[in-house]
Amino acid sequence: MKATLAILTIGVVPVSEVLPLLTEHVSEQQITHFSLLGKLSREEVMEDYAVGEGEDPLATLLSDGKLAHVSRQKIERALQGVIEVLDNQDYDVILLMSTAPVKGLSARNAILLEPMRIIPPLVASIVDGHQVGVIVPVEELLDNQTVKWAALEHTPLYALANPFWDSEAKLIAAGQELIDRGADVLMLDCLGFHQRHRDLLQKALDVPVLPSNVLMARLASELLV
């Protein structure tokens, strides 16, 4: 029986960019993409997921190409509901394509891959004491970074560049800023970054670059063999 993969995203994520990494081992017909908010209008999203009293805001990209702040708690509940449906549909692997700080998700049968749980310790083991510079897409995500990268031996440095609306020059400038401040490994901490951005930085700056989505896609592809 052929292994099947469900890719689950919160908002708009360019899933097509990681498909070549996944289809090295399985056909595209075995991969299905589900987006919680990606096909909804901004009005529909805010009607169901607006930040309520005592809830934490979560930044996500909507179908209008702009960021929205939604309730992390409501998103977690909705994601868990989708995961349970996918689990009952007998998917072998569920890949959460999001670096958002969501918690408490679980699957009974499928292997659930969560970047927030997997990427930080994986990167810590890869860099092994090197100074990491993290490129973050929006300023709103900086508050979550300290806890996220606690496993690193050295406190990471941060710079801003967005894969959706910033230029290549802006991305290179962000990478150069981090190197000038002492970074010798760059981390692209947004699933909108992909191999093209990694190759651009490595060629321009001659420094190792780790994109979150490539790491997750490689791991998922190994589980689909």
Side-chain angles (χ1 to χ4, degrees), residues 2-116:
K2 294 182 178 180
T4 53
L5 167 69
I7 299 176
L8 177 57
T9 62
I10 297 175
V12 174
V13 175
V15 170
S16 60
E17 300 293 349
V18 301
L19 282 179
L21 302 174
L22 296 166
T23 53
E24 291 177 4
H25 298 298
V26 299
S27 71
E28 194 168 334
Q29 287 69 39
Q30 295 165 246
I31 303 172
T32 308
H33 173 213
F34 299 88
S35 179
L36 186 63
L37 309 178
K39 295 182 179 180
L40 301 179
S41 68
R42 177 170 292 268
E43 291 74 19
E44 291 172 323
V45 169
M46 300 317 296
E47 182 177 346
D48 292 333
Y49 298 98
V51 181
E53 186 176 352
E55 295 178 335
D56 302 317
L58 188 70
T60 190
L61 188 67
L62 299 185
S63 57
D64 61 5
K66 299 178 181 178
L67 284 175
H69 289 89
V70 294
S71 162
R72 177 177 62 80
Q73 287 82 353
K74 290 172 183 168
I75 291 294
E76 288 172 347
R77 289 193 292 271
L79 285 175
Q80 183 58 41
V82 175
I83 289 169
E84 290 173 5
V85 171
L86 296 175
D87 215 7
N88 290 331
Q89 293 177 353
D90 295 327
Y91 282 95
D92 297 289
V93 178
I94 301 172
L95 171 58
L96 178 63
M97 289 286 286
S98 171
T99 55
V102 293
K103 300 176 288 186
L105 304 179
S106 63
R108 293 189 309 276
N109 303 309
I111 297 174
L112 177 61
L113 299 179
E114 302 171 85
M116 277 293 290

Side-chain angles (χ1 to χ4, degrees), residues 125-193:
S125 67
I126 292 172
V127 301
D128 190 27
H130 287 271
Q131 178 62 63
V132 178
V134 181
I135 296 181
V136 181
V138 291
E139 189 172 0
E140 289 91 336
L141 297 180
L142 288 174
D143 290 342
N144 299 318
Q145 299 295 317
T146 301
V147 174
K148 180 175 183 177
W149 300 107
L152 294 177
E153 182 177 337
H154 303 296
T155 301
L157 306 168
Y158 302 103
L160 296 174
N162 193 290
F164 297 105
W165 52 71
D166 283 339
S167 65
E168 292 184 349
K170 174 69 179 294
L171 176 59
I172 292 172
Q176 185 63 61
E177 174 194 338
L178 292 170
I179 292 172
D180 292 343
R181 291 164 57 195
D184 54 5
V185 177
L186 299 182
M187 180 76 208
L188 297 177
D189 192 34
C190 173
L191 295 174
F193 288 118

